[in-house]
């Protein structure tokens, strides 16, 4: 065990999927023409007043309930003052000391099935800023479309002890957010952003080490890489005094895998928070919270638990299926379509073949050319020996291309396995006549020699004979 202990906390910003922005009626679509999705409110023109979009708060409450947090009965908004060219008001409307939500947790699961609870300190609502682009040719331009888009800031407790735990927390959090439909969580579009706080202390020491914040993390892998770099830097500083660790904000460079200083870390008082005078405090009624809770779907961990217990699946399979709720639904429909199929066999088909096709990006699960019942039919054909494993994959490909069911494709492409004993017996007898040496070897106890006879039958039937049936027939004929 290392003499040092790593402490990691994460701040995640998620853009909420509302029809309009947090305090005005502008719709926001990523990638729109710059400065076309704005109005006097989000442009901060004099006299324009914000009005809270209640739907954003409802999506926030939905998130709070999904992570088991407490929803406040009373909440308010505050001004966070700072200057930036993409922030026309000169302040951001955020929440300071009375967020709408506190507590809760995300449970992460490790490969060996063990789990750990990562606490959530608070979740609050705030508005997004615009986007500055600094041109290589000199000068900067600003796009204010993103100004006022609702953001949830989800702050974790400093409960993570390794970059890997941070990665797992982010993955689990994102999956939960996608399940409840509050955000598409697409990091490439900036709808999910993450800042990481990290410090290292001697194991056993209670006081935290000097904390560094890392920004510019555009993928979960990069969060992990940046943290690994920082942990190594802090540890070297503590062990060899290689440098002095100062509290600061650092930027991650994905090309070099290193971080570099950006600015000294600001303190809360630097922002001169004060209650937002233009947005009245908000009361949240118990029945509103209850009504939102009643619409929550089955959450990822509960789904994996159920897939494991109801269908006897390994948890690994459960997590692969649960990555997309509709893929898990497809699996369960396929299982229900034929009770004689082994659920693990169905899971193998869905997690391998179906997901492979989905990953190619030409088909979605909701409009998959092979309905769940048809996949179940194919699995039944393989189970009953009507097609071999190799033939089943070819039939699958045919079903994908034509939309026909498994028996139709198998017949049309001549992919049926010959299992008819009468038809095969003729071929087996011919093979036995044609391979006297192999027959003598089998009779002398060399089981392996049977392969030559099977091979002969396969050649005669162009690979369509059911090998299991052929083996049985060889035994029977030789025993005559
Ligand atoms: Zn607007």
């Amino acid at each position: 065990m290392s003499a040092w202990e790593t402490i990691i906390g994460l701040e995640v910003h998620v853009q909420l999927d509302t029809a309009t922005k947090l305090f005005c009626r502008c719709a926001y679509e990523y990638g729109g023409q710059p400065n076309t999705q704005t109005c006097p409110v989000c442009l901060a023109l004099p006299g324009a007043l914000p009005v809270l979009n209640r739907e954003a708060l409802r999506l926030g409450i939905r998130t709070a309930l999904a992570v088991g947090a407490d929803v406040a009965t009373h909440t308010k908004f505050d001004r966070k003052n700072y200057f930036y060219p993409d922030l026309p008001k000169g302040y951001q409307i955020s929440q300071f000391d009375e967020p709408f939500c506190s507590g809760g947790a995300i449970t992460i699961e490790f490969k060996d099935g063990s789990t750990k609870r990562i606490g959530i300190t608070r979740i609050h609502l705030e508005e997004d800023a615009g986007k500055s682009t600094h041109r290589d040719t000199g000068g900067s331009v600003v796009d204010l479309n993103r100004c006022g888009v609702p953001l949830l800031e989800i702050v974790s407790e400093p409960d993570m002890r390794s970059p890997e735990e941070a990665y797992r927390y982010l993955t689990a959090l994102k999956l939960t957010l996608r399940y409840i439909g509050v955000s598409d969580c697409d990091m490439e579009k900036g709808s999910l952003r993450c800042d990481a706080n990290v410090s290292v202390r001697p194991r056993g020491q209670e006081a935290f080490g000097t904390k560094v914040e890392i920004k510019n993390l555009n993928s979960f892998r990069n969060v992990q890489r940046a943290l690994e770099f920082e942990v190594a830097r802090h540890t070297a500083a503590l062990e060899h005094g290689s440098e002095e660790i100062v509290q600061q904000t650092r930027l991650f460079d994905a090309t070099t895998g290193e971080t570099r200083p950006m600015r000294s870390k600001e303190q809360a008082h630097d922002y001169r928070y004060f209650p937002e005078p233009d947005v009245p405090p908000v009361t949240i009624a118990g029945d509103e919270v209850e009504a939102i809770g009643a619409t929550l779907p089955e959450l990822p961990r509960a789904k994996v638990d159920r897939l494991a217990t109801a269908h006897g699946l390994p948890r690994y399979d459960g997590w692969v299926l649960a990555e997309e709720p509709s893929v898990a639904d497809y699996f369960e429909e396929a299982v229900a379509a034929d009770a004689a199929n082994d659920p693990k066999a169905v899971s193998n088909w869905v997690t391998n073949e179906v997901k492979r096709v989905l990953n190619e990006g030409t088909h979605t699960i909701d409009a998959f050319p092979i309905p769940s019942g048809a996949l179940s039919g194919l699995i039944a054909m393989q189970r009953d020996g009507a097609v071999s494993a190799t033939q089943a994959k070819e039939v699958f490909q045919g079903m994908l291309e034509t939309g026909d069911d498994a028996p139709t494709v198998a017949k049309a492409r001549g992919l049926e396995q010959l299992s008819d004993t009468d038809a095969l017996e003729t071929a087996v007898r011919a093979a036995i006549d044609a391979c006297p040496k192999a027959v003598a070897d089998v009779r002398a106890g060399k089981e392996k020699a049977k392969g030559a006879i099977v091979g002969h039958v396969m050649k005669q039937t162009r690979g369509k004979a059911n090998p299991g049936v052929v083996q049985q027939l060889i035994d029977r004929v030789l025993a005559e």
Side-chain angles (χ1 to χ4, degrees):
M1 196 183 265
S2 157
W4 310 101
E5 187 177 36
T6 302
I7 311 285
I8 297 168
L10 297 175
E11 279 173 26
V12 173
H13 284 91
V14 186
Q15 271 181 2
L16 293 174
D17 249 336
T18 47
T20 57
K21 294 183 182 180
L22 187 53
F23 296 110
C24 66
R25 289 185 179 174
C26 294
Y28 170 71
E29 197 91 45
Y30 175 81
Q33 276 292 314
N35 300 307
T36 55
Q37 304 170 7
T38 56
C39 73
V41 174
C42 53
L43 288 176
L45 299 190
L49 286 172
V51 176
L52 175 66
N53 176 354
R54 190 84 191 191
E55 182 59 16
L57 180 62
R58 277 193 280 270
L59 294 183
I61 294 171
R62 199 169 162 77
T63 308
L65 296 175
V67 300
D70 295 323
V71 177
T73 52
H74 180 272
T75 187
K76 72 170 173 70
F77 289 87
D78 301 276
R79 281 193 186 177
K80 181 180 183 181
N81 298 282
Y82 62 96
F83 171 78
Y84 214 75
D86 57 24
L87 188 71
K89 285 205 292 277
Y91 62 84
Q92 181 187 22
I93 304 179
S94 180
Q95 298 199 280
F96 182 51
D97 54 348
E98 286 186 48
F100 74 91
C101 161
S102 58
I106 287 284
T107 301
I108 57 174
E109 189 168 318
F110 299 93
K111 281 201 186 98
D112 64 0
S114 63
T115 58
K116 180 175 174 181
R117 181 185 187 278
I118 308 295
I120 287 173
T121 313
R122 58 183 277 165
I123 303 178
H124 71 248
L125 268 173
E126 63 185 28
E127 54 180 351
D128 209 343
K131 198 170 167 33
S132 303
T133 306
H134 309 293
R135 290 176 160 164
D136 294 338
T137 50
S140 295
V141 287
V142 68
D143 174 12
L144 298 178
N145 281 352
R146 213 175 61 179
C147 268
V149 170
L151 289 180
L152 272 191
E153 179 170 330
I154 303 167
V155 183
S156 85
E157 290 284 300
D159 283 349
M160 288 155 272
R161 292 291 172 270
S162 69
E164 190 211 342
E165 289 187 12
Y167 180 85
R168 288 184 185 274
Y169 166 82
L170 288 170
T171 311
L173 175 65
K174 177 179 166 181
L175 191 59
T176 301
L177 295 170
R178 288 190 40 240
Y179 261 57
I180 60 174
V182 296
S183 172
D184 66 8
C185 295
D186 188 339
M187 281 188 104
E188 278 175 31
K189 293 184 193 164
S191 46
L192 187 150
R193 286 164 252 161
C194 173
D195 301 332
N197 287 297
V198 57
S199 64
V200 176
R201 68 183 171 191
R203 196 171 290 282
Q205 176 183 303
E206 210 163 303
F208 288 123
T210 305
K211 184 170 81 173
V212 160
E213 183 181 30
I214 321 171
K215 287 190 179 286
N216 207 25
L217 301 166
N218 59 3
S219 73
F220 292 172
R221 278 292 164 218
N222 281 343
V223 173
Q224 189 171 355
R225 286 173 68 207
L227 286 168
E228 280 162 1
F229 175 83
E230 274 303 300
V231 170
R233 190 174 73 88
H234 286 230
T235 309
L238 288 165
E239 279 179 355
H240 320 297
S242 50
E243 63 178 306
E244 194 198 344
I245 301 291
V246 291
Q247 179 161 330
Q248 64 187 179
T249 301
R250 296 174 73 89
L251 282 182
F252 179 63
D253 183 337
T255 343
T256 61
E258 296 179 354
T259 68
R260 58 188 156 77
M262 178 186 163
R263 57 168 189 249
S264 64
K265 172 88 180 123
E266 39 320 80
Q267 306 281 330
H269 63 247
D270 293 333
Y271 290 116
R272 299 282 188 268
Y273 279 100
F274 65 85
E276 168 59 53
D278 291 340
V279 180
V282 180
T283 305
I284 304 170
D287 4 335
E288 186 182 8
V289 177
E290 220 167 88
I292 293 169
T295 65
L296 278 184
E298 180 180 42
L299 295 172
R301 278 182 59 74
K303 193 180 279 296
V304 173
D305 289 347
R306 194 171 53 74
L307 290 173
T309 49
H311 304 295
L313 291 185
R315 289 190 76 79
Y316 175 80
D317 284 51
W319 281 112
V320 176
L321 291 169
E323 271 172 22
E324 288 286 345
S326 35
V327 170
D329 291 346
Y330 179 91
F331 159 79
E332 292 205 276
E333 284 161 24
V335 168
D338 188 341
N341 283 337
D342 174 12
K344 175 59 179 154
V346 180
S347 167
N348 289 346
W349 272 95
V350 177
T351 57
N352 296 318
E353 296 306 311
V354 175
K355 288 209 79 161
R356 175 182 59 77
V357 173
L358 295 176
N359 288 339
E360 286 166 4
T362 40
H363 297 290
T364 63
I365 192 68
D366 299 319
F368 203 65
I370 305 175
S372 51
L375 179 72
S376 183
L378 170 61
I379 296 166
M381 281 184 80
Q382 189 186 346
R383 179 196 71 207
D384 298 339
V387 289
S388 68
T390 321
Q391 287 173 327
K393 292 216 170 121
E394 286 179 54
V395 173
F396 179 85
Q397 195 55 37
M399 292 166 79
L400 203 58
E401 288 159 12
T402 61
D404 291 334
D405 65 8
T408 309
V409 173
K411 202 168 184 129
R413 305 205 173 185
L415 286 166
E416 282 159 302
Q417 191 163 248
L418 283 178
S419 300
D420 174 29
T421 42
D422 289 343
L424 283 177
E425 191 175 325
T426 318
V428 167
R429 286 189 185 278
I432 285 173
D433 289 344
C435 313
K437 167 112 181 33
V439 172
D441 285 347
V442 174
R443 292 218 154 106
K446 290 183 190 163
E447 271 293 303
K448 273 191 182 168
K450 221 190 271 175
I453 308 171
V454 175
H456 200 274
V457 175
M458 285 298 177
K459 210 167 165 189
Q460 278 180 293
T461 58
R462 281 186 233 145
K464 288 182 194 169
N466 179 329
V469 176
V470 172
Q471 295 258 3
Q472 285 170 12
L473 282 170
I474 293 170
D475 291 344
R476 207 183 79 200
V477 173
L478 290 182
E480 279 172 357

